[in-house]
């Protein structure tokens, strides 16, 4: 859509032929777009099922089904491949919808939710990045296949390592509390190191773009993190690699990160240089721990360290908001 002024989204959606149309409503910022697409799809394909999924859809499932009649079902939770498969197998037999885990749906005007019966404790599903290539061949349109506008010129790819989080940052829709209360997940599911390694290896074999390893590996313990980093270090990667951590990590972990590639970038979000503001936001570490990590990161030779700060935080006065620049 962004790469061609002639692209007609309504016509494109009209030409798609499916029994179920799954629309991603993961990030709240996409609420308007997801609902607009859903309304167009329902208008053009009134006999098909329009389904929303993603964390935002999982949080607002009742409001969506109460207020937007063009959405037929919402698939809740962070892992929905198997329930969606079951839904597809049972199209045409609405009486069986009661058996589909994680499904919210309408039945004779009533809104029902079947409950979270599918929240896998393991996150071991290998995502084969070659699917991007096969989709491009299938659609014969590289721009319909890439994940975002500008990807061809400036690509970056991501590997998910975890579903869930150990922490409770107050604004986060993916916190430990939110996962427990709204997505049925009582503890994070970490992807097995050998699967992360296989995905990184596969990706690096087909694209030389930077690879973002999403999720703080140390949440699964320092053994998990160091085993995985050692395994990645053995791949001889030439890609730039991004890691993120949610709390400062020790020098040993930084050293293992450094060995993964010649260009390793690390990201951390202290949010504020003021410890009381940071703590009120839900990040409980002090500046000396943070600064120790910064100097270790420079010492071990990480190529870049990105620090993220925010404004509009609890306890953040005007003085403390503008104080970020000075820090
Ligand atoms: S560490 Fe990240 S994912 Fe976890 S609660 Fe905080 S912002 Fe959310």
């Amino acid at each position: 859509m962004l790469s061609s002024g002639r692209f007609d989204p309504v016509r494109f959606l009209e030409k798609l032929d499916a029994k179920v149309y799954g629309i991603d409503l993961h990030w709240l910022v996409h609420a308007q777009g997801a609902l607009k697409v859903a309304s167009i799809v329902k208008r053009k394909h009134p006999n098909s099922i329009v389904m929303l999924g993603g964390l935002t859809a999982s949080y607002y499932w009742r409001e969506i089904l109460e207020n937007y009649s063009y959405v037929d079902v919402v698939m809740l939770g962070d892992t929905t491949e198997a329930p969606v498969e079951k839904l597809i197998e049972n199209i045409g037999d609405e009486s069986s919808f009661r058996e589909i885990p994680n499904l919210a749906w309408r039945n004779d005007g009533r809104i029902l939710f079947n409950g979270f019966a599918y929240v896998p404790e393991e996150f071991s599903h290998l995502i084969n990045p070659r699917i991007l290539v096969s989709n491009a061949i299938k659609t014969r349109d590289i721009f319909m296949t890439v994940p975002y506008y500008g990807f061809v010129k400036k690509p970056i790819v991501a590997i998910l390592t975890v579903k869930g989080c150990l922490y409770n940052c107050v604004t986060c829709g993916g916190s430990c509390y939110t996962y427990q209360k709204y997505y049925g997940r009582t503890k994070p599911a970490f992807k097995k190191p050998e699967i992360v390694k296989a995905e990184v290896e596969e990706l690096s074999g087909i694209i030389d773009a930077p690879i973002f390893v999403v999720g703080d590996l140390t949440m699964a313990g320092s053994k998990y993190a160091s085993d995985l980093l050692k395994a990645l270090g053995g791949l001889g990667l030439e890609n730039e690699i991004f890691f993120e951590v949610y709390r400062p990590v020790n020098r040993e972990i930084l050293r293992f990160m450094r060995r993964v590639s010649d260009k390793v970038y690390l990201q951390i979000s202290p949010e504020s240089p003021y410890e009381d503001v940071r703590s009120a936001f839900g990040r409980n570490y002090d500046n000396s721990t943070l600064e120790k990590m910064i100097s270790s990161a420079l010492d071990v030779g990480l190529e870049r360290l990105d620090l993220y700060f925010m404004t509009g935080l609890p306890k953040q006065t005007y003085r403390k908001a503008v104080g970020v620049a000075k820090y």
Side-chain angles (χ1 to χ4, degrees):
M1 191 155 87
L2 293 173
S3 59
S4 165
R6 292 200 310 274
F7 179 75
D8 180 342
V10 176
R11 216 174 118 62
F12 174 80
L13 292 170
E14 187 172 18
K15 281 189 342 200
L16 291 179
D17 180 25
K19 289 181 178 159
V20 180
Y21 292 82
I23 298 163
D24 170 15
L25 177 48
H26 184 70
W27 301 101
L28 186 56
V29 70
H30 296 142
Q32 189 276 336
L35 290 168
K36 187 71 192 171
V37 169
S39 74
I40 296 169
V41 168
K42 195 67 189 175
R43 187 156 39 89
K44 298 295 177 188
H45 307 279
N47 299 321
S48 295
I49 289 186
V50 175
M51 170 179 66
L52 293 191
L55 293 193
T56 298
S58 301
Y59 183 91
Y60 287 109
W61 64 272
R62 186 173 287 284
E63 287 85 347
I64 291 168
L65 291 175
E66 275 174 0
N67 296 297
Y68 303 96
S69 57
Y70 44 81
V71 178
D72 298 303
V73 302
V74 179
M75 193 60 85
L76 280 75
D78 62 29
T79 310
T80 55
E81 291 87 345
V84 168
E85 214 174 321
K86 198 155 184 201
L87 175 75
I88 291 168
E89 282 164 8
N90 287 283
I91 294 295
D93 176 16
E94 286 215 359
S95 63
S96 64
F97 278 18
R98 277 180 202 285
E99 310 302 320
I100 299 172
N102 301 20
L103 186 73
W105 53 298
R106 281 193 215 87
N107 184 253
D108 286 337
R110 282 185 314 144
I111 291 170
L112 306 174
F113 173 49
N114 296 346
F116 283 110
Y118 187 77
V119 186
E121 284 188 16
E122 280 216 340
F123 179 26
S124 50
H125 180 69
L126 186 136
I127 299 169
N128 189 343
R130 287 188 191 272
I131 200 162
L132 267 184
V133 180
S134 58
N135 280 348
I137 294 168
K138 203 158 56 183
T139 59
R140 289 193 218 133
D141 185 345
I142 183 78
F143 290 104
M144 288 309 296
T145 314
V146 295
Y148 57 87
Y149 177 62
F151 179 86
V152 172
K153 280 194 182 144
K154 208 164 180 203
I156 180 165
V157 290
I159 299 280
L160 294 181
T161 64
V162 61
K163 295 190 178 187
C165 185
L166 289 180
Y167 304 113
N168 279 310
C169 301
V170 291
T171 59
C172 183
S175 67
C176 178
Y177 170 85
T178 327
Y179 264 93
Q180 283 186 13
K181 189 160 167 66
Y182 297 103
Y183 318 135
R185 178 170 296 289
T186 52
K187 59 179 186 195
F190 299 100
K191 197 176 271 181
K192 287 182 179 155
E194 60 271 25
I195 296 189
V196 178
K197 181 187 166 197
E199 289 181 352
V200 171
E201 189 170 18
E202 192 72 29
L203 262 179
S204 66
I206 58 173
I207 190 165
D208 63 2
I211 298 175
F212 197 131
V213 179
V214 179
D216 182 341
L217 304 179
T218 64
M219 283 201 301
S222 45
K223 178 165 173 11
Y224 172 96
S226 48
D227 284 354
L228 175 51
L229 291 167
K230 276 190 242 171
L232 295 180
L235 292 175
L237 296 171
E238 291 180 4
N239 304 61
E240 296 160 80
I241 306 287
F242 286 78
F243 291 108
E244 61 176 357
V245 290
Y246 302 156
R247 302 176 53 81
V249 292
N250 64 36
R251 194 183 182 88
E252 194 190 11
I253 294 291
L254 296 170
R255 221 184 269 123
F256 285 131
M257 285 179 178
R258 169 66 190 84
R259 290 181 196 147
V260 171
S261 158
D262 280 344
K263 289 199 170 159
V264 173
Y265 311 137
L266 179 62
Q267 302 194 337
I268 186 167
S269 304
E271 314 300 1
S272 169
Y274 297 93
E275 290 167 0
D276 61 329
V277 177
R278 188 181 309 139
S279 163
F281 182 73
R283 298 192 189 266
N284 292 305
Y285 52 85
D286 57 24
N287 281 348
S288 70
T289 312
L290 174 66
E291 287 159 15
K292 192 169 161 206
M293 189 197 83
I294 294 172
S295 82
S296 297
L298 296 174
D299 276 358
V300 303
L302 293 193
E303 180 86 1
R304 200 173 89 198
L305 181 65
D306 298 334
L307 301 171
Y308 288 90
F309 297 92
M310 275 208 282
T311 51
L313 303 176
K315 292 198 175 179
Q316 192 178 44
T317 59
Y318 175 78
R319 181 183 66 78
K320 288 183 176 178
V322 297
V324 172
K326 192 160 175 231
Y327 182 75

